[in-house]
Amino acid sequence: MRKYETLFILHPSLDEEALNANIEKFKGVIENGGGQIDNVDVWGKRKLAYEIAKVNEGTYVLINFSADTDLPKELDRNFRIADSVIRHLITNQEN
C-alpha cells in the first residue's frame, strides 16, 4: 500500500450538515476501496487564488491515506462527478 494525500475544495454555499456529509462520502470511498485514512484536516473557508465558476472562496479539506494504486483513480472519478467539489488534487507521498 502507498501513501497518498488529497486536497479538495468544496463549494462555500454548503451548510455544516452538507459539508460533513460530503467529507464522510469521500472518506467512505477510501475506506470501502480498501484504503486506510491516516488524517482528516478541515482547513475551513478560505479565499481562492482566482475565481472558479464565479466562486471566490471554498472550504478546504485535506485527507492523508494509504491505499493500493487503483483507489486514487476511483476517488478521482467520485470527485469529478460531485457537484459540490470545485477543485481536487491527489498526490503520492512516496518518492
Side-chain angles (χ1 to χ4, degrees):
M1 293 190 27
R2 294 184 177 184
K3 292 191 178 288
Y4 293 95
E5 175 178 84
T6 182
L7 177 68
F8 55 98
I9 307 170
L10 296 171
H11 202 277
S13 66
L14 296 175
D15 61 356
E16 191 71 27
E17 186 177 312
L19 182 73
N20 290 333
N22 275 284
I23 294 170
E24 290 301 318
K25 178 175 105 173
F26 296 122
K27 284 172 54 178
V29 170
I30 294 169
E31 290 170 343
N32 294 336
Q36 177 183 353
I37 295 176
D38 301 325
N39 184 33
V40 178
D41 193 10
V42 180
W43 292 357
K45 280 191 184 178
R46 294 181 180 227
K47 188 168 173 52
L48 301 176
Y50 54 89
E51 188 175 281
I52 301 171
K54 299 183 181 179
V55 176
N56 292 323
E57 65 178 8
T59 304
Y60 285 66
V61 181
L62 175 73
I63 299 177
N64 298 91
F65 63 98
S66 302
D68 292 329
T69 56
D70 293 339
L71 184 63
K73 294 173 189 170
E74 178 63 20
L75 187 59
D76 182 58
R77 187 185 73 78
N78 279 275
F79 281 139
R80 289 180 188 274
I81 60 176
D83 292 334
S84 59
V85 176
I86 299 173
R87 285 284 190 268
H88 71 279
L89 179 68
I90 303 170
T91 56
N92 184 354
Q93 293 300 301
E94 297 175 351
N95 294 331

